[in-house]
Amino acid sequence: MPPLSQGVRSGPLLFTSGQGPLDPTTGEMPADFGAQARQVLANIEAVVAAAGGDRRSIARCTCHLADRAHFAEFNRVYREFFTDCSPLPARTTVVVRPVREGVLVEVDAVAVVG
């Protein structure tokens, strides 16, 4: 387990750590990019929910992709995930080299939960 908190509150704001594509129940990581992106967003949602919010509480996301070629697919998954949110969270997306082998996407978020 890495030395970090999944989320830290400061007043009404929740700052999540970067969430990777591991399923918290099984510890498995999907190989497919779309499945990884969905798992990452589900993990973000779980951290926000544990602090009393939901996906509509998310104000900002920083998205890290391992390959620029996944950008269009990420946009589809992200739009689907936030379909009931208006406005959409502010967002920055960058291409990076992930620390863990096989990770294709990681996202951190800021949510308003109180």
Side-chain angles (χ1 to χ4, degrees):
M1 184 77 148
L4 55 83
S5 297
Q6 292 299 313
V8 174
R9 282 190 69 162
S10 180
L13 300 179
L14 173 71
F15 299 86
T16 75
S17 289
Q19 297 297 307
L22 291 180
D23 181 307
T25 304
T26 66
E28 298 293 317
M29 179 171 55
D32 170 75
F33 176 81
Q36 281 199 18
R38 286 178 187 83
Q39 184 64 59
V40 164
L41 293 169
N43 291 348
I44 287 284
E45 185 174 31
V47 174
V48 172
D54 60 30
R55 68 180 69 186
R56 289 178 301 279
S57 305
I58 299 170
R60 186 180 199 307
C61 291
T62 304
C63 309
H64 307 88
L65 306 180
D67 189 332
R68 174 191 297 253
H70 293 134
F71 187 66
E73 185 174 2
F74 183 73
N75 280 338
R76 284 189 295 275
V77 171
Y78 188 90
R79 187 176 292 113
E80 175 186 297
F81 180 80
F82 286 110
T83 192
D84 60 345
C85 299
S86 182
L88 291 170
R91 182 178 122 185
T92 299
T93 304
V94 296
V95 176
V96 300
R97 178 178 289 165
V99 173
R100 185 173 178 164
E101 188 68 32
V103 171
L104 302 174
V105 58
E106 182 175 315
V107 175
D108 66 79
V110 178
V112 181
V113 293

